[in-house]
């Protein structure tokens, strides 16, 4: 069986490593910290602490792989952190494992459209911030080395949903003048997409959007949660600070990935919430006064 390195065995990386392992691939996972690696010591595959931004550390690693998934995260961070983790991380991996297929998990934040239009992999990418431009630079580097890019939408899944967390903590605000489409994807569907892209004799070395079937307006998400959980609709107002994904407002298409045969298990926000996410937030949902 081919062997795979998951460089960034975090929320997405773990689910992906588990899926490849279950399919019989020998897997190795990397984290940044020794603590995270130790937390994963019960996994049926080895997980080591290796800083992909550190050329010497990566260069000193033994082993050969048929594929690498670069899904380490800068955890937000500034342009310098992006440069270190994404661009230098990708360079260090390909310097050490020359000729190995590299799949980079980028972000749909590279689409800066603000008019609610549909975007595909062919659409313009003009991110206003330096961080977004570094993601594009990393994408171009990976593609120039025959790699694959998966542009992930906002990630949610068991115990993770930024929107639900805000709703439950009472910090959600609906801004009726600036409503925008949210593009999201369940962690299990990302893992399945990454598996589909690599588990084939000649993986297509291109860009793929990884997103569910139904972009949904933010106010609709909050209204759906309010009705489902029998709580008040969040107040109207102007959110403080910069939105994480800039001021973009677009609907990201998954048609290209679907054409490869990928079928999301959680095609809509409602299905992801009902079948997977709400139950993982049971304590927070029950613990709060209505
Ligand atoms: N969050 C979103 O909605 C979103 C949207 C689009 C794309 N993405 C991208 O999706 C990918 C996966 O995100 P995620 O949510 O799974 O991230 P995550 O849960 O924060 O996990 C990140 C993993 O990367 C590891 N890591 C961080 N820096 C590293 C380094 N220098 N060397 C080696 N490993 C390192 C972390 O190790 P430690 O635990 O030791 O720190 C952790 O295992 C990332 O590339 C992220 O940018 C995220």
């Amino acid at each position: 069986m081919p062997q795979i390195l998951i460089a960034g065995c975090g929320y997405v990386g773990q689910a992906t490593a588990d899926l490849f392992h279950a399919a019989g691939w020998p897997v190795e996972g990397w984290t940044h910290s020794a603590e995270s690696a130790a937390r994963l010591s019960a996994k049926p595959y080895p997980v080591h602490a290796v800083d992909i931004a550190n050329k010497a550390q990566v260069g000193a690693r033994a082993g050969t792989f048929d594929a690498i998934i670069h899904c380490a995260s800068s955890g937000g961070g500034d342009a310098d952190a992006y440069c270190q983790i994404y661009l230098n991380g990708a360079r260090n991996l390909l310097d050490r494992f020359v000729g190995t297929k590299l799949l980079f998990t980028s972000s749909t934040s590279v689409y800066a459209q603000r008019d609610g239009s549909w975007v595909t992999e062919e659409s313009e990418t003009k991110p206003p911030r330096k961080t977004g431009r570094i993601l594009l630079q990393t994408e171009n580097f990976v593609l120039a080395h025959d790699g694959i890019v998966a542009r992930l939408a906002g990630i949610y899944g068991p115990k993770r949903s930024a929107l639900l967390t805000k709703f439950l903590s009472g910090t959600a605000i609906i801004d009726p003048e600036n409503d925008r489409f949210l593009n999201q994807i369940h962690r299990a569907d990302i893992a399945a997409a990454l598996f589909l892209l690599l588990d084939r004799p000649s993986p297509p070395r291109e860009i793929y959007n990884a997103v569910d079937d139904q972009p949904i307006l933010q106010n609709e998400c909050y209204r759906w949660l309010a009705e489902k959980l029998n709580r008040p609709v969040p107040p109207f107002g102007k959110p403080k600070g910069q939105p994480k994904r800039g001021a973009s407002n677009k609907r990201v298409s998954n048609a290209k990935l679907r054409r490869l045969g990928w079928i999301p298990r959680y095609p809509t926000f409602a299905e992801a919430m009902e079948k997977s996410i709400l139950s993982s937030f049971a304590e927070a949902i029950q613990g709060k006064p209505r």
Side-chain angles (χ1 to χ4, degrees):
M1 286 302 276
Q3 307 201 40
I4 187 156
L5 169 64
I6 308 291
C9 216
Y11 190 73
V12 166
Q14 268 179 63
T16 307
D18 290 350
L19 185 62
F20 276 90
H21 174 77
W25 287 51
V27 172
E28 180 170 318
W30 289 0
T31 60
H32 186 213
S33 62
E35 292 75 18
S36 291
R39 226 179 304 121
L40 299 176
S41 59
K43 289 282 182 193
Y45 45 82
V47 180
H48 304 289
V50 182
D51 180 359
I52 60 166
N54 185 321
K55 191 173 172 59
Q57 262 185 47
V58 177
R61 294 302 305 179
T64 52
F65 300 98
D66 300 274
I68 300 172
I69 298 181
H70 176 341
C71 53
S73 168
S74 63
D78 58 10
D80 186 48
Y82 269 59
C83 204
Q84 289 298 330
I85 308 261
Y86 298 122
L87 188 54
N88 291 345
R91 280 194 185 125
N92 293 337
L93 287 166
L94 282 181
D95 279 354
R96 167 61 190 84
F97 302 105
V98 179
T100 305
K101 281 169 223 156
L102 179 64
L103 190 161
F104 171 57
T105 55
S106 183
S107 167
T108 55
S109 64
V110 296
Y111 302 114
Q113 284 76 352
R114 300 173 75 148
D115 57 357
S117 57
W118 280 97
V119 296
T120 71
E121 292 80 353
E122 309 297 316
S123 299
E124 181 182 76
T125 49
K126 272 198 174 169
R129 296 186 193 158
K130 202 169 170 196
T131 46
R133 293 194 289 274
I134 293 166
L135 284 181
L136 282 181
Q137 241 183 304
T138 310
E139 289 187 357
N140 289 334
F141 172 80
V142 170
L143 293 169
H145 288 79
D146 267 347
I148 307 171
V149 170
R151 288 182 178 152
L152 310 186
I155 300 166
Y156 61 12
K159 296 195 176 156
R160 191 195 281 191
S161 163
L163 201 89
L164 180 56
T165 302
K166 268 193 187 173
F167 180 84
L168 292 174
S169 67
T171 56
I173 290 174
I174 294 179
D175 179 355
E177 284 160 29
N178 286 305
D179 203 5
R180 54 187 286 269
F181 284 102
L182 302 180
N183 298 276
Q184 301 173 92
I185 182 164
H186 192 283
R187 166 173 82 164
D189 287 326
I190 300 174
L194 303 183
F195 185 77
L196 180 89
L197 288 171
L198 286 171
D199 188 43
R200 47 184 61 221
S202 319
R205 294 160 188 244
E206 295 173 22
I207 298 174
Y208 291 87
N209 293 332
V211 57
D212 72 16
D213 283 349
Q214 196 184 69
I216 178 169
L217 286 167
Q218 186 165 349
N219 100 80
E220 283 175 15
C221 284
Y222 283 139
R223 288 177 196 282
W224 187 93
L225 287 172
E227 191 172 333
K228 183 81 192 167
L229 300 176
N230 194 21
R231 294 194 180 200
V233 172
F236 285 7
K238 290 264 166 226
K240 288 190 193 103
Q242 288 280 317
K244 218 176 148 197
R245 293 197 157 218
S248 75
N249 178 24
K250 73 257 174 172
R251 286 173 282 172
V252 182
S253 164
N254 64 15
K256 187 173 178 186
L257 197 54
R258 270 188 162 277
R259 279 198 297 275
L260 281 191
W262 174 78
I263 300 171
R265 200 193 306 172
Y266 303 100
T268 65
F269 175 77
E271 278 167 277
M273 281 293 154
E274 281 175 336
K275 294 184 187 160
S276 165
I277 302 174
L278 286 177
S279 59
S280 73
F281 278 80
E283 219 170 285
I285 291 169
Q286 281 152 18
K288 287 255 174 185
R290 297 197 168 171

